[in-house]
Amino acid sequence: MLSVFYLYLFYMEKIYTIKDIAELAGVSKGTVDRVLHKRGKVSEDALKKVNEILDKIDYQPNLMARSLKKKQIYSICVLIPDSANDPYWQPCIDGINEAKKEFKSFNVKIEIFLFDATNTSSFVETNKNVLDTSPDAVLLVPLFHKEAIEAIEIYNSKGIISSIFNNQLKSSSIRSFVGQDLFQSGRIAARLLDLLIKKGTIAIIHIDEDYENAIHMQEKEKGFRDYFNNLGNTDFEIKTFKVKHPQFKSTLKEFLDENPAIEGLFVTTSKAYQVAKIIAKKPEKKIALIGYDLLENNLEYLNNKTIDFLIHQNPKRQAYLGATNLIEHFIFEKEISSEILLPIDIINTENAKDYFL
Amino acid sequence: MLSVFYLYLFYMEKIYTIKDIAELAGVSKGTVDRVLHKRGKVSEDALKKVNEILDKIDYQPNLMARSLKKKQIYSICVLIPDSANDPYWQPCIDGINEAKKEFKSFNVKIEIFLFDATNTSSFVETNKNVLDTSPDAVLLVPLFHKEAIEAIEIYNSKGIISSIFNNQLKSSSIRSFVGQDLFQSGRIAARLLDLLIKKGTIAIIHIDEDYENAIHMQEKEKGFRDYFNNLGNTDFEIKTFKVKHPQFKSTLKEFLDENPAIEGLFVTTSKAYQVAKIIAKKPEKKIALIGYDLLENNLEYLNNKTIDFLIHQNPKRQAYLGATNLIEHFIFEKEISSEILLPIDIINTENAKDYFL
DNA sequence: TGTTAAAATGTGCTCGAACACATTAAAAAT
DNA sequence: ATTTTTAATGTGTTCGAGCACATTTTAACA
């Protein structure tokens, strides 16, 4: 019964055009256009008549017609670390290419610029190259704090929109950040270990890279400790272990030998496989291990159950959303979301392959 | 150096129009149009000339212009169970509305039809109503096997595209399915329990509803058992416990009392909270509990740690992807993906809120 | 060869928004 | 009162694809 009425409304929902408004207001479409775009040269009388109509109806400009007319091509440059040095970044490139493909028939050009993640000057240089193309927006991974801020300030002064993803960075010149809540991410790891083991020592392992991971690791540790602090008195002891790459193997072995009570490990970077390699050789005792990112190496140890869980930072989706946020701003005049926080995916042996979309 | 060359290519990448092709081939745009749309009435000579050009260039029709011209409004009807009876379905409605909003400026009208999940004839009736609007496509949750097949056959005979989501259903008339791999979903639950407990009895609990969950539950059980079978000889014993709603409480209590060795429970439907309510009253022993879906009730018991993990079936995204798959077919002429399997999200206390996007 | 039918090709308008340009009305200056 | 200036309003073209219709070319037949 009622559905007939709704059906009626459904089909009645008129889509108004500028011409419709002009006729309703008794003016020409030129005048309506001037009102809509506040171009002036409209008498008070005409302005009132048009606004009265606009108040009454819900005018939605036809975006097809608009972007057909506006021949402007928006250009977006994306700066990502070269995946040759670190496979973590490959999904980002895939994500950008997906966005590119999806919007290929629209007036946007997206270009990827790769830089060397181990080399600050490569980052600076690449930003210079990007600037030379004078794009409308830049999406970048701000690996190098100081240099990123500098680059973003320059973009901002030239009216170029900058968005970042993967790494958080505070600056009023940044229009958008896409990433994860790292504090929460640490809490998730803590909750998982809390379920896996009941007592003993847990170590937070920071494997530092050549480039800046400090903020990442600190936030994760804070969240991790926060979880156990809020638990109240438990049978857990939590230690932090920092290590740089070269002497990594021997020092970690030492650390484990010195702390026989260790029952669980939380590796705050994507290098859990390096830890797994070591503890896999100690089959006398199963140590719970949690790490980050679906790298080949990590998956290998996940599948042989040396790693219990991996936390997925979803770099592909981060890059994709960073790009589409900008694209949709340009072609659909959407607001740019200032912060997009992705869900933090928990991965085990069985759902790992699902996340390679 | 090299980048200058790429830059050049980048800006040179010409976007061809039908007019361009016509000029290049030395024919009129009408002829090009006939070739592109295989409308016939083209001489072999002209066909060859146009195809030669088309082979050389990468012609991408301007979708703005196309959808501006084609005033046809595609209509898609979506059939979802009413969330008044089962809150599981509310996110589906949200997902459809999101798709609706996203594509509101395009020539698509999406209408949601709700039916009563506990009532077969409501489903049949709603399908009749949908048929009366003669839509271009139907997206439905095929809760009732036989009736769904029948409805889909009718749609097919009228040239209406049908897609399904949430429940798998085999029929050659179905163009698309969006859902999860339920077998794998069972394996994930198994892996989680394998990590939570080392030995003892594990029960698979099927809480049957009035409507058809049978295939769902069977597949999940198969996957669950498959995981443990492949583990080889373990200290686990796996039991299955089926129960219908009315006598639920007492029979489950009985079952637990009769099986004191039970260490873990896997509830194959979204009713884990009902089990949690019972075991929460037995604090003398922590029983590991895994269930499905982020319902209010489930989250409550997840947060007080009676439920250890929930598996997220992502109904919102299922509905959203089901809709966009069809929408993009109509407006961008994309191929309809015949099967979209969503990742199976593992939820604990800490990442639960992330999944309410 | 001339006439007609059929096939092939080309032309021109439309969709809605944007904007340049033409036209008209009102105000200011002579 | 008439011209000039300025403000206000209207008209018409463009974007690219799609399609109806007009026109031309070729084939068929008397």
Side-chain angles (χ1 to χ4, degrees), chain A residues 125-177:
Chain A
E125 200 57 38
T126 312
N127 272 297
K128 271 199 200 111
N129 291 339
V130 165
L131 196 65
D132 286 343
T133 76
S134 27
D136 297 287
V138 177
L139 173 65
L140 55 97
V141 178
L143 271 194
F144 306 103
H145 191 94
K146 185 170 138 277
E147 290 75 11
I149 295 275
E150 276 168 17
I152 287 166
E153 295 297 339
I154 293 173
Y155 292 134
N156 196 44
S157 72
K158 308 240 176 193
I160 300 168
I161 295 172
S162 352
S163 295
I164 58 171
F165 73 98
N166 199 76
N167 299 61
Q168 182 59 286
L169 196 66
K170 291 293 175 195
S171 158
S172 56
S173 304
I174 294 171
R175 286 289 291 278
S176 161
F177 165 66

Short mmCIF file of all heavy atoms in Angstrom, two decimals, chain A residues 125-177:
data_model
loop_
_atom_site.label_atom_id
_atom_site.label_comp_id
_atom_site.label_asym_id
_atom_site.label_seq_id
_atom_site.Cartn_x
_atom_site.Cartn_y
_atom_site.Cartn_z
N GLU A 125 65.52 15.83 -3.79
CA GLU A 125 65.65 15.96 -5.25
C GLU A 125 64.32 15.64 -5.95
O GLU A 125 63.87 16.37 -6.84
CB GLU A 125 66.74 14.99 -5.72
CG GLU A 125 67.33 15.30 -7.06
CD GLU A 125 67.92 16.70 -7.09
OE1 GLU A 125 68.52 17.14 -6.09
OE2 GLU A 125 67.75 17.37 -8.14
N THR A 126 63.71 14.55 -5.53
CA THR A 126 62.45 14.14 -6.15
C THR A 126 61.36 15.20 -5.94
O THR A 126 60.57 15.49 -6.84
CB THR A 126 61.99 12.79 -5.59
OG1 THR A 126 63.09 11.88 -5.61
CG2 THR A 126 60.86 12.22 -6.41
N ASN A 127 61.35 15.79 -4.76
CA ASN A 127 60.39 16.86 -4.51
C ASN A 127 60.62 18.04 -5.46
O ASN A 127 59.67 18.66 -5.92
CB ASN A 127 60.46 17.32 -3.06
CG ASN A 127 59.55 16.51 -2.16
OD1 ASN A 127 58.33 16.54 -2.33
ND2 ASN A 127 60.13 15.76 -1.24
N LYS A 128 61.88 18.31 -5.74
CA LYS A 128 62.20 19.38 -6.69
C LYS A 128 61.63 19.05 -8.07
O LYS A 128 61.02 19.89 -8.73
CB LYS A 128 63.72 19.59 -6.78
CG LYS A 128 64.25 20.59 -5.77
CD LYS A 128 65.63 21.11 -6.20
CE LYS A 128 66.37 21.71 -5.01
NZ LYS A 128 67.54 20.86 -4.60
N ASN A 129 61.85 17.82 -8.49
CA ASN A 129 61.32 17.40 -9.79
C ASN A 129 59.81 17.52 -9.84
O ASN A 129 59.25 17.96 -10.85
CB ASN A 129 61.71 15.94 -10.08
CG ASN A 129 63.20 15.79 -10.32
OD1 ASN A 129 63.87 16.78 -10.65
ND2 ASN A 129 63.71 14.59 -10.17
N VAL A 130 59.18 17.14 -8.76
CA VAL A 130 57.72 17.23 -8.69
C VAL A 130 57.29 18.69 -8.81
O VAL A 130 56.38 19.02 -9.57
CB VAL A 130 57.21 16.64 -7.36
CG1 VAL A 130 55.76 17.06 -7.10
CG2 VAL A 130 57.32 15.12 -7.39
N LEU A 131 57.99 19.54 -8.11
CA LEU A 131 57.65 20.97 -8.12
C LEU A 131 57.74 21.54 -9.53
O LEU A 131 56.94 22.39 -9.93
CB LEU A 131 58.59 21.72 -7.17
CG LEU A 131 58.17 23.13 -6.76
CD1 LEU A 131 56.88 23.09 -5.94
CD2 LEU A 131 59.27 23.81 -5.96
N ASP A 132 58.71 21.05 -10.28
CA ASP A 132 58.91 21.55 -11.65
C ASP A 132 57.71 21.25 -12.55
O ASP A 132 57.47 21.97 -13.52
CB ASP A 132 60.18 20.92 -12.27
CG ASP A 132 61.44 21.52 -11.68
OD1 ASP A 132 61.33 22.61 -11.06
OD2 ASP A 132 62.51 20.91 -11.83
N THR A 133 56.97 20.20 -12.24
CA THR A 133 55.81 19.89 -13.09
C THR A 133 54.60 20.72 -12.65
O THR A 133 53.54 20.59 -13.24
CB THR A 133 55.45 18.39 -13.00
OG1 THR A 133 54.79 18.14 -11.76
CG2 THR A 133 56.69 17.51 -13.10
N SER A 134 54.76 21.54 -11.63
CA SER A 134 53.66 22.32 -11.02
C SER A 134 52.31 21.60 -11.04
O SER A 134 51.41 21.97 -11.78
CB SER A 134 53.53 23.72 -11.65
OG SER A 134 54.00 23.75 -12.96
N PRO A 135 52.22 20.58 -10.21
CA PRO A 135 50.97 19.81 -10.13
C PRO A 135 49.91 20.56 -9.32
O PRO A 135 50.21 21.59 -8.73
CB PRO A 135 51.40 18.56 -9.39
CG PRO A 135 52.49 19.02 -8.49
CD PRO A 135 53.20 20.13 -9.22
N ASP A 136 48.71 20.04 -9.33
CA ASP A 136 47.66 20.64 -8.51
C ASP A 136 47.70 20.10 -7.08
O ASP A 136 47.27 20.76 -6.15
CB ASP A 136 46.29 20.34 -9.13
CG ASP A 136 46.17 20.97 -10.50
OD1 ASP A 136 46.03 22.19 -10.57
OD2 ASP A 136 46.26 20.24 -11.51
N ALA A 137 48.21 18.88 -6.94
CA ALA A 137 48.31 18.30 -5.61
C ALA A 137 49.45 17.30 -5.56
O ALA A 137 49.85 16.75 -6.59
CB ALA A 137 47.01 17.61 -5.21
N VAL A 138 49.96 17.09 -4.36
CA VAL A 138 51.03 16.12 -4.14
C VAL A 138 50.61 15.19 -3.02
O VAL A 138 50.08 15.64 -2.01
CB VAL A 138 52.35 16.83 -3.77
CG1 VAL A 138 53.43 15.83 -3.46
CG2 VAL A 138 52.79 17.78 -4.86
N LEU A 139 50.83 13.90 -3.24
CA LEU A 139 50.58 12.91 -2.19
C LEU A 139 51.92 12.26 -1.89
O LEU A 139 52.56 11.72 -2.80
CB LEU A 139 49.58 11.86 -2.69
CG LEU A 139 49.33 10.66 -1.78
CD1 LEU A 139 48.66 11.07 -0.48
CD2 LEU A 139 48.47 9.62 -2.51
N LEU A 140 52.34 12.32 -0.64
CA LEU A 140 53.68 11.81 -0.37
C LEU A 140 53.79 11.04 0.93
O LEU A 140 52.99 11.23 1.85
CB LEU A 140 54.71 12.94 -0.42
CG LEU A 140 54.51 14.17 0.46
CD1 LEU A 140 55.31 14.02 1.74
CD2 LEU A 140 54.97 15.42 -0.28
N VAL A 141 54.80 10.17 0.98
CA VAL A 141 55.16 9.45 2.21
C VAL A 141 56.26 10.26 2.87
O VAL A 141 57.37 10.31 2.37
CB VAL A 141 55.68 8.03 1.89
CG1 VAL A 141 56.08 7.33 3.17
CG2 VAL A 141 54.62 7.23 1.15
N PRO A 142 55.96 10.92 3.99
CA PRO A 142 56.93 11.85 4.57
C PRO A 142 57.95 11.13 5.45
O PRO A 142 57.96 11.29 6.66
CB PRO A 142 56.04 12.80 5.37
CG PRO A 142 54.89 11.95 5.80
CD PRO A 142 54.70 10.89 4.75
N LEU A 143 58.80 10.37 4.80
CA LEU A 143 59.76 9.57 5.55
C LEU A 143 60.74 10.43 6.34
O LEU A 143 61.08 10.12 7.47
CB LEU A 143 60.56 8.67 4.60
CG LEU A 143 60.00 7.30 4.30
CD1 LEU A 143 61.06 6.45 3.64
CD2 LEU A 143 59.51 6.62 5.57
N PHE A 144 61.18 11.50 5.72
CA PHE A 144 62.17 12.35 6.38
C PHE A 144 61.48 13.59 6.92
O PHE A 144 61.04 14.46 6.17
CB PHE A 144 63.27 12.72 5.39
CG PHE A 144 63.89 11.51 4.74
CD1 PHE A 144 63.55 11.15 3.45
CD2 PHE A 144 64.77 10.71 5.45
CE1 PHE A 144 64.10 10.03 2.85
CE2 PHE A 144 65.32 9.58 4.87
CZ PHE A 144 64.98 9.23 3.57
N HIS A 145 61.39 13.63 8.21
CA HIS A 145 60.58 14.63 8.89
C HIS A 145 60.86 16.06 8.44
O HIS A 145 59.99 16.73 7.88
CB HIS A 145 60.81 14.51 10.40
CG HIS A 145 59.87 15.31 11.21
ND1 HIS A 145 58.71 14.78 11.73
CD2 HIS A 145 59.88 16.61 11.57
CE1 HIS A 145 58.06 15.72 12.38
NE2 HIS A 145 58.77 16.84 12.31
N LYS A 146 62.06 16.49 8.64
CA LYS A 146 62.42 17.89 8.38
C LYS A 146 62.25 18.23 6.90
O LYS A 146 61.63 19.24 6.54
CB LYS A 146 63.88 18.11 8.82
CG LYS A 146 64.36 19.54 8.74
CD LYS A 146 65.72 19.69 9.42
CE LYS A 146 66.65 20.57 8.63
NZ LYS A 146 67.37 19.88 7.53
N GLU A 147 62.77 17.38 6.06
CA GLU A 147 62.73 17.64 4.62
C GLU A 147 61.30 17.62 4.09
O GLU A 147 60.94 18.38 3.19
CB GLU A 147 63.58 16.60 3.87
CG GLU A 147 65.08 16.73 4.08
CD GLU A 147 65.54 16.22 5.44
OE1 GLU A 147 64.73 15.57 6.16
OE2 GLU A 147 66.71 16.48 5.81
N ALA A 148 60.49 16.74 4.68
CA ALA A 148 59.09 16.66 4.26
C ALA A 148 58.36 17.96 4.59
O ALA A 148 57.65 18.53 3.76
CB ALA A 148 58.40 15.48 4.92
N ILE A 149 58.56 18.44 5.81
CA ILE A 149 57.92 19.70 6.24
C ILE A 149 58.34 20.82 5.28
O ILE A 149 57.50 21.60 4.81
CB ILE A 149 58.35 20.05 7.68
CG1 ILE A 149 57.83 19.01 8.67
CG2 ILE A 149 57.89 21.46 8.03
CD1 ILE A 149 56.42 19.23 9.16
N GLU A 150 59.62 20.86 4.98
CA GLU A 150 60.12 21.91 4.09
C GLU A 150 59.45 21.85 2.72
O GLU A 150 58.97 22.85 2.20
CB GLU A 150 61.64 21.78 3.91
CG GLU A 150 62.44 22.44 5.03
CD GLU A 150 63.92 22.04 4.98
OE1 GLU A 150 64.36 21.52 3.91
OE2 GLU A 150 64.60 22.21 6.00
N ALA A 151 59.41 20.65 2.17
CA ALA A 151 58.80 20.47 0.85
C ALA A 151 57.34 20.89 0.87
O ALA A 151 56.86 21.61 -0.01
CB ALA A 151 58.94 19.02 0.41
N ILE A 152 56.65 20.46 1.93
CA ILE A 152 55.22 20.75 2.02
C ILE A 152 54.96 22.25 2.15
O ILE A 152 54.02 22.78 1.56
CB ILE A 152 54.62 19.95 3.21
CG1 ILE A 152 54.54 18.47 2.83
CG2 ILE A 152 53.24 20.48 3.57
CD1 ILE A 152 54.29 17.54 3.98
N GLU A 153 55.85 22.94 2.88
CA GLU A 153 55.70 24.39 3.00
C GLU A 153 55.81 25.06 1.63
O GLU A 153 55.07 25.98 1.30
CB GLU A 153 56.78 24.97 3.93
CG GLU A 153 56.69 24.53 5.39
CD GLU A 153 55.39 24.98 6.06
OE1 GLU A 153 54.76 25.92 5.58
OE2 GLU A 153 55.01 24.33 7.06
N ILE A 154 56.75 24.57 0.85
CA ILE A 154 56.93 25.15 -0.49
C ILE A 154 55.70 24.88 -1.35
O ILE A 154 55.17 25.79 -1.99
CB ILE A 154 58.20 24.57 -1.16
CG1 ILE A 154 59.45 25.04 -0.40
CG2 ILE A 154 58.28 25.02 -2.62
CD1 ILE A 154 60.74 24.40 -0.86
N TYR A 155 55.23 23.64 -1.34
CA TYR A 155 54.01 23.32 -2.11
C TYR A 155 52.89 24.26 -1.69
O TYR A 155 52.19 24.84 -2.51
CB TYR A 155 53.58 21.87 -1.87
CG TYR A 155 54.53 20.84 -2.44
CD1 TYR A 155 54.93 19.73 -1.70
CD2 TYR A 155 55.01 20.98 -3.75
CE1 TYR A 155 55.79 18.78 -2.24
CE2 TYR A 155 55.88 20.03 -4.28
CZ TYR A 155 56.27 18.95 -3.52
OH TYR A 155 57.11 18.01 -4.06
N ASN A 156 52.74 24.39 -0.39
CA ASN A 156 51.65 25.22 0.13
C ASN A 156 51.76 26.66 -0.38
O ASN A 156 50.76 27.26 -0.77
CB ASN A 156 51.69 25.18 1.66
CG ASN A 156 50.40 25.68 2.26
OD1 ASN A 156 49.33 25.30 1.79
ND2 ASN A 156 50.49 26.53 3.26
N SER A 157 52.98 27.19 -0.38
CA SER A 157 53.17 28.58 -0.80
C SER A 157 52.85 28.75 -2.29
O SER A 157 52.54 29.85 -2.73
CB SER A 157 54.60 29.02 -0.52
OG SER A 157 55.48 28.39 -1.44
N LYS A 158 52.91 27.69 -3.04
CA LYS A 158 52.59 27.77 -4.47
C LYS A 158 51.14 27.35 -4.74
O LYS A 158 50.75 27.14 -5.89
CB LYS A 158 53.52 26.85 -5.28
CG LYS A 158 54.99 27.08 -5.00
CD LYS A 158 55.74 27.50 -6.24
CE LYS A 158 57.19 27.80 -5.87
NZ LYS A 158 57.93 28.49 -6.90
N GLY A 159 50.38 27.14 -3.68
CA GLY A 159 48.98 26.77 -3.87
C GLY A 159 48.78 25.32 -4.27
O GLY A 159 47.72 24.93 -4.75
N ILE A 160 49.81 24.50 -4.06
CA ILE A 160 49.70 23.07 -4.36
C ILE A 160 49.25 22.35 -3.09
O ILE A 160 49.84 22.52 -2.03
CB ILE A 160 51.05 22.51 -4.85
CG1 ILE A 160 51.50 23.23 -6.12
CG2 ILE A 160 50.97 21.01 -5.05
CD1 ILE A 160 52.94 22.95 -6.51
N ILE A 161 48.20 21.56 -3.21
CA ILE A 161 47.68 20.82 -2.06
C ILE A 161 48.63 19.67 -1.72
O ILE A 161 49.07 18.95 -2.60
CB ILE A 161 46.28 20.24 -2.39
CG1 ILE A 161 45.28 21.38 -2.61
CG2 ILE A 161 45.81 19.29 -1.29
CD1 ILE A 161 43.93 20.90 -3.12
N SER A 162 48.94 19.48 -0.45
CA SER A 162 49.74 18.30 -0.08
C SER A 162 48.99 17.40 0.88
O SER A 162 48.39 17.86 1.85
CB SER A 162 51.08 18.65 0.56
OG SER A 162 51.36 19.99 0.52
N SER A 163 49.03 16.12 0.58
CA SER A 163 48.49 15.09 1.46
C SER A 163 49.60 14.10 1.77
O SER A 163 50.52 13.93 0.97
CB SER A 163 47.35 14.35 0.79
OG SER A 163 46.27 15.21 0.57
N ILE A 164 49.49 13.45 2.91
CA ILE A 164 50.50 12.45 3.27
C ILE A 164 49.82 11.14 3.62
O ILE A 164 48.63 11.09 3.93
CB ILE A 164 51.36 12.91 4.46
CG1 ILE A 164 50.48 13.22 5.67
CG2 ILE A 164 52.17 14.14 4.09
CD1 ILE A 164 51.26 13.47 6.94
N PHE A 165 50.58 10.07 3.56
CA PHE A 165 50.06 8.80 4.04
C PHE A 165 51.18 7.96 4.64
O PHE A 165 52.35 8.29 4.51
CB PHE A 165 49.29 8.04 2.95
CG PHE A 165 50.14 7.42 1.87
CD1 PHE A 165 50.49 6.08 1.92
CD2 PHE A 165 50.56 8.18 0.79
CE1 PHE A 165 51.26 5.50 0.90
CE2 PHE A 165 51.32 7.61 -0.22
CZ PHE A 165 51.67 6.29 -0.17
N ASN A 166 50.79 6.93 5.35
CA ASN A 166 51.69 6.00 6.01
C ASN A 166 52.34 6.57 7.28
O ASN A 166 52.28 5.95 8.31
CB ASN A 166 52.78 5.51 5.08
CG ASN A 166 53.42 4.23 5.59
OD1 ASN A 166 52.83 3.17 5.48
ND2 ASN A 166 54.58 4.35 6.20
N ASN A 167 52.95 7.78 7.17
CA ASN A 167 53.55 8.37 8.35
C ASN A 167 52.81 9.65 8.73
O ASN A 167 52.58 10.49 7.89
CB ASN A 167 55.01 8.72 8.08
CG ASN A 167 55.84 7.51 7.75
OD1 ASN A 167 55.56 6.83 6.76
ND2 ASN A 167 56.82 7.23 8.57
N GLN A 168 52.54 9.77 9.99
CA GLN A 168 51.87 10.98 10.47
C GLN A 168 52.90 12.11 10.54
O GLN A 168 54.09 11.88 10.70
CB GLN A 168 51.26 10.70 11.85
CG GLN A 168 50.49 11.83 12.48
CD GLN A 168 49.32 12.33 11.65
OE1 GLN A 168 49.51 13.01 10.64
NE2 GLN A 168 48.12 12.01 12.10
N LEU A 169 52.41 13.33 10.39
CA LEU A 169 53.29 14.50 10.39
C LEU A 169 52.38 15.67 10.67
O LEU A 169 51.36 15.84 10.01
CB LEU A 169 53.93 14.63 9.01
CG LEU A 169 55.14 15.52 8.85
CD1 LEU A 169 56.32 14.93 9.62
CD2 LEU A 169 55.49 15.64 7.38
N LYS A 170 52.74 16.46 11.66
CA LYS A 170 51.85 17.57 11.99
C LYS A 170 52.33 18.84 11.30
O LYS A 170 53.46 19.26 11.47
CB LYS A 170 51.80 17.78 13.51
CG LYS A 170 51.09 16.64 14.26
CD LYS A 170 49.59 16.59 13.93
CE LYS A 170 48.92 15.39 14.59
NZ LYS A 170 47.59 15.10 14.05
N SER A 171 51.46 19.40 10.52
CA SER A 171 51.75 20.69 9.87
C SER A 171 50.45 21.25 9.36
O SER A 171 49.62 20.54 8.82
CB SER A 171 52.74 20.49 8.72
OG SER A 171 52.64 21.57 7.81
N SER A 172 50.27 22.53 9.55
CA SER A 172 49.01 23.15 9.14
C SER A 172 48.90 23.19 7.62
O SER A 172 47.83 23.43 7.07
CB SER A 172 48.92 24.57 9.70
OG SER A 172 50.04 25.31 9.28
N SER A 173 50.01 22.93 6.93
CA SER A 173 49.97 22.96 5.47
C SER A 173 49.50 21.64 4.87
O SER A 173 49.33 21.53 3.67
CB SER A 173 51.36 23.30 4.92
OG SER A 173 51.82 24.51 5.45
N ILE A 174 49.34 20.63 5.73
CA ILE A 174 48.92 19.32 5.24
C ILE A 174 47.39 19.24 5.21
O ILE A 174 46.74 19.51 6.19
CB ILE A 174 49.50 18.19 6.12
CG1 ILE A 174 51.02 18.18 5.97
CG2 ILE A 174 48.90 16.85 5.74
CD1 ILE A 174 51.71 17.27 6.95
N ARG A 175 46.87 18.87 4.05
CA ARG A 175 45.43 18.84 3.92
C ARG A 175 44.82 17.52 4.35
O ARG A 175 43.65 17.43 4.68
CB ARG A 175 45.02 19.13 2.46
CG ARG A 175 45.20 20.56 2.07
CD ARG A 175 44.15 21.44 2.75
NE ARG A 175 42.82 21.17 2.22
CZ ARG A 175 42.35 21.70 1.10
NH1 ARG A 175 43.08 22.54 0.40
NH2 ARG A 175 41.13 21.42 0.69
N SER A 176 45.62 16.45 4.32
CA SER A 176 45.03 15.15 4.58
C SER A 176 46.08 14.12 4.99
O SER A 176 47.21 14.13 4.49
CB SER A 176 44.32 14.69 3.31
OG SER A 176 44.10 13.31 3.33
N PHE A 177 45.70 13.27 5.92
CA PHE A 177 46.57 12.16 6.32
C PHE A 177 45.78 10.85 6.24
O PHE A 177 44.66 10.77 6.73
CB PHE A 177 47.08 12.37 7.74
CG PHE A 177 47.68 11.12 8.35
CD1 PHE A 177 48.84 10.57 7.85
CD2 PHE A 177 47.04 10.48 9.42
CE1 PHE A 177 49.37 9.41 8.38
CE2 PHE A 177 47.57 9.32 9.97
CZ PHE A 177 48.74 8.79 9.45
#
